[in-house]
Every structure is written in structure tokens, then in C-alpha cells.
Amino acid sequence: MVIYESLFYGCPVLCSNNKHWDRLDEFNAGWNLNSNNINQFISRIYELLNYSYGSYQDFIFSTRHYLNRIEKNVFEADNLLLFN
């Protein structure tokens, strides 16, 4: 849920490459990073800290565009599995 909520509110996400949240970078909605390489996560965090206001505003539009491409039924099914 936290990934969906972050994207919904325009926050780019740093996500491992093991999740179904794929192609984040193609949509400018975040990054899929190697979960075994902590340096990738650190590097992206520092990169985000140096973004200009305008560059960050691009994420707000892009994250919502990314959410529109997700199949809602797949997302709902994945979330239901958490509670079973």
C-alpha cells in the first residue's frame, strides 16, 4: 500500500527490482533498484536531494500517469493476498 500511496501523492519511489512495480524509471515515477546493492539506493537518495523544484514537480505528473497504466484488478488481488 505504501508504494501505491506514495505514487498517488506524487512521490517517486525507490523500489527493489523484485516487486511488480516495474518500469518505474520509464515513466519517471521512481526507480527499480537491485535490492542487494545498497549503494544504488544511497546514490538515488542523494540525487533526489539535489533535484530542483521544477524537476520534482515532473514526478507529480509522472507518478499519476504511471498509476493509470496499472491493472487495478492485479493490484487489488496482490493486496488481498496480504490479508489471507
Side-chain angles (χ1 to χ4, degrees), residues 66-77:
Y66 179 81
L67 284 180
N68 288 334
R69 79 172 252 313
I70 294 173
E71 293 181 39
K72 301 295 187 227
N73 58 340
V74 172
F75 175 75
E76 290 170 2

Side-chain angles (χ1 to χ4, degrees), residues 8 21 43:
F8 182 82
W21 299 98
S43 176

Side-chain angles (χ1 to χ4, degrees), residues 1 4 20-21 74-84:
M1 286 301 294
Y4 180 87
H20 71 270
W21 299 98
V74 172
F75 175 75
E76 290 170 2
D78 286 348
N79 279 303
L80 286 174
L81 287 174
L82 292 172
F83 299 101
N84 288 333

Side-chain angles (χ1 to χ4, degrees), residues 30-73:
W31 299 271
N32 297 100
L33 305 173
N34 183 339
S35 59
N36 295 320
N37 187 343
I38 191 69
N39 290 327
Q40 283 185 344
F41 285 87
I42 293 169
S43 176
R44 289 294 180 183
I45 290 169
Y46 279 113
E47 182 181 326
L48 280 168
L49 289 172
N50 291 310
Y51 269 47
S52 68
Y53 177 77
S55 294
Y56 194 81
Q57 290 296 312
D58 291 341
F59 280 120
I60 294 172
F61 172 79
S62 298
T63 56
R64 293 196 180 128
H65 177 69
Y66 179 81
L67 284 180
N68 288 334
R69 79 172 252 313
I70 294 173
E71 293 181 39
K72 301 295 187 227
N73 58 340

